[in-house]
Amino acid sequence: MQSVEELYELKDFWEWDKYIPEQNHYIEFNANLVGAFFKIEDLINIYSKARFSLGLLEVNNYGELLSVHDENHLKFIRSHFIHDAMIYYNIAIDMAWQVIFFYVTDSAEYLLANHDEYRNHASRCNRTNLIELMKLYDETELKKVEDSFFNDECVREVRRVYNLYKHKSALHTRGLGKQYDNFMVGVTLGDTKVDLNMLTREEIEIEEMKTTLMNFDIKFFDFFSEVLRCITPENFDESIKKSIFDMGHDSFNRLFKYAEKVRSYKENELDNYKRLFDIAYYDSLEVCKKEKIKLVDNASL
C-alpha cells in the first residue's frame, strides 16, 4: 500500500458509526452493550485523527504553516504529524480496550443511571484489568482476538515507541538536527583507546515510521472489526431500522416498560448497587476471579 488515500478506500472505519447507540438500543439491549457501543464514537473520533495526521505527511504545500518549504522545514512539520499519528493510534488502542471493558461489565443499569460512575469506570480500564475480566466472564473468543492483536510484532513495536516517547524520552527524527554517540575527538592513554560516550535519543525515520503506522492501521481496523463481530447481537442490524416513535402501540409499550424499569432501579437499587459494584470490580477482582463471583443482572442480586 503506497498512500493513506488507499487506506480510506480499503478500510472504511466510518461504517462503524452505525453501532453508536440510539434511543431504541437503550430499550432493546442490555446496559453493558449500550455502554460499550457508546465508546465507539470516541474510538472513531481518535482513529480518524490518527489517520488524518498520517495523511498530512503526504501534503507537499503546507501554506502558512511554514515560512519556507525547504527540506528542513518540511521534515520538521512532518515529524510533528508522525508523532501526532503515533499518539492517536495508541489512544485508539485504549478506546478499543474500553469498548471491550464495558462489554464484559455487569449488565445492570448502574452505569447508565449514573454518568459520573460511567466515566469513573472508564478511567479504571487498563489491559491488566481487562484480561482479568475476560477470564472471569469466560470471554474466550474475545480474549483470543485481543491477544492476537496486542502480541502482533507491528503492534508491539508501535506500542514500544509510544511508551518510550511518553514515559522515558523524546525521539530524535533522522535528518532533523544531529546527535553524536561519542566525542568528536579520540583519546588514547598509553596503549588503550578510551571511548568517550555521549547520550543519545532513539531515532526514528519519518518514511519508515509512516510505513509502520500504515501497517498498524490495517491491523487495528481488522482487530476492531473482529471485536464488533464478537460482541454484536444477531438482531442489531434489524434494530438500526427501528425507532421508538414509528412502531405504533407496541413501541410505546416498550418505552413505558423501559421507563418503569429505570424508575424502579433508581428508587430501589441504585444507592446499594454502588457498594456491590465496587466490591465486584475494584476491591475484590482477584477474589472474583478465584471464587467465580459474577454480577449478571438485577435479578441475580
Side-chain angles (χ1 to χ4, degrees):
M1 184 172 297
Q2 300 299 316
S3 71
V4 175
E5 184 178 354
E6 292 179 77
L7 272 180
Y8 283 102
E9 296 173 358
L10 181 65
K11 304 292 182 180
D12 182 13
F13 60 84
W14 293 112
E15 65 186 26
W16 295 340
D17 67 358
K18 73 178 183 180
Y19 296 99
I20 299 171
E22 303 289 348
Q23 294 173 88
N24 55 298
H25 297 134
Y26 282 76
I27 296 173
E28 189 152 347
F29 298 114
N30 287 338
N32 65 314
L33 189 68
V34 174
F37 281 0
F38 181 78
K39 298 302 298 184
I40 292 176
E41 187 169 8
D42 296 340
L43 186 149
I44 292 173
N45 225 342
I46 294 298
Y47 190 26
S48 64
K49 290 176 181 177
R51 193 179 285 183
F52 177 72
S53 296
L54 206 58
L56 287 174
L57 296 172
E58 299 175 354
V59 174
N60 293 316
N61 188 338
Y62 293 95
E64 294 182 359
L65 291 176
L66 292 180
S67 58
V68 180
H69 279 70
D70 61 12
E71 183 178 352
N72 283 339
H73 286 77
L74 288 172
K75 188 156 289 188
F76 169 78
I77 198 167
R78 287 169 180 160
S79 174
H80 173 79
F81 292 136
I82 200 73
H83 281 75
D84 278 356
M86 178 180 64
I87 291 168
Y88 282 128
Y89 276 125
N90 276 277
I91 296 174
I93 294 177
D94 294 340
M95 291 294 104
W97 283 343
Q98 288 192 24
V99 171
I100 303 172
F101 191 63
F102 279 101
Y103 176 75
V104 296
T105 296
D106 175 23
S107 62
E109 302 294 325
Y110 175 64
L111 294 176
L112 299 188
N114 190 323
H115 295 176
D116 289 339
E117 285 303 310
Y118 180 89
R119 288 185 283 268
N120 187 47
H121 189 54
S123 71
R124 305 255 176 103
C125 175
N126 56 57
R127 190 165 187 262
T128 299
N129 288 343
L130 179 62
I131 293 298
E132 293 301 331
L133 285 175
M134 285 193 288
K135 289 178 181 178
L136 172 64
Y137 281 78
D138 298 321
E139 291 288 349
T140 306
E141 185 177 9
L142 202 52
K143 185 176 181 300
K144 183 178 179 181
V145 169
E146 196 280 338
D147 282 344
S148 176
F149 170 74
F150 193 76
N151 290 310
D152 179 89
E153 183 178 351
C154 173
V155 174
R156 294 190 72 84
E157 174 62 10
V158 170
R159 198 70 176 173
R160 183 193 70 81
V161 176
Y162 168 72
N163 283 324
L164 178 67
Y165 180 60
K166 178 181 177 182
H167 297 295
K168 296 181 180 179
S169 72
L171 300 169
H172 174 72
T173 301
R174 189 183 305 167
L176 195 62
K178 296 180 179 180
Q179 62 174 354
Y180 301 95
D181 59 6
N182 52 49
F183 279 32
M184 297 178 67
V185 295
V187 176
T188 299
L189 300 177
D191 296 330
T192 303
K193 179 181 179 181
V194 181
D195 292 326
L196 302 175
N197 298 333
M198 298 177 67
L199 297 174
T200 61
R201 298 175 179 85
E202 179 155 340
E203 183 177 85
I204 62 169
E205 199 280 323
I206 292 175
E207 285 301 315
E208 290 176 1
M209 182 57 71
K210 177 191 171 187
T211 299
T212 298
L213 291 177
M214 287 179 69
N215 290 334
F216 173 89
D217 186 298
I218 294 171
K219 292 175 184 296
F220 182 84
F221 180 92
D222 292 343
F223 154 66
F224 194 67
S225 296
E226 277 297 291
V227 170
L228 290 174
R229 182 188 63 79
C230 290
I231 71 176
T232 303
E234 292 182 1
N235 63 331
F236 188 81
D237 285 344
E238 184 63 29
S239 73
I240 295 174
K241 305 172 186 177
K242 298 178 181 179
S243 167
I244 61 171
F245 300 112
D246 64 8
M247 293 187 295
H249 182 70
D250 179 62
S251 170
F252 285 102
N253 281 340
R254 291 169 61 245
L255 175 61
F256 291 141
K257 286 181 180 178
Y258 179 72
E260 177 56 37
K261 174 184 176 182
V262 171
R263 183 183 70 172
S264 175
Y265 184 83
K266 289 183 176 180
E267 290 179 352
N268 301 318
E269 301 183 55
L270 182 59
D271 291 340
N272 184 51
Y273 206 86
K274 175 175 172 53
R275 180 184 62 83
L276 296 173
F277 190 85
D278 287 348
I279 290 173
Y281 285 92
Y282 307 137
D283 298 338
S284 305
L285 189 58
E286 286 301 313
V287 174
C288 289
K289 185 178 74 168
K290 292 174 183 177
E291 300 184 7
K292 297 294 183 182
I293 297 173
K294 187 173 179 182
L295 296 176
V296 289
D297 54 35
N298 297 345
S300 69
L301 298 178

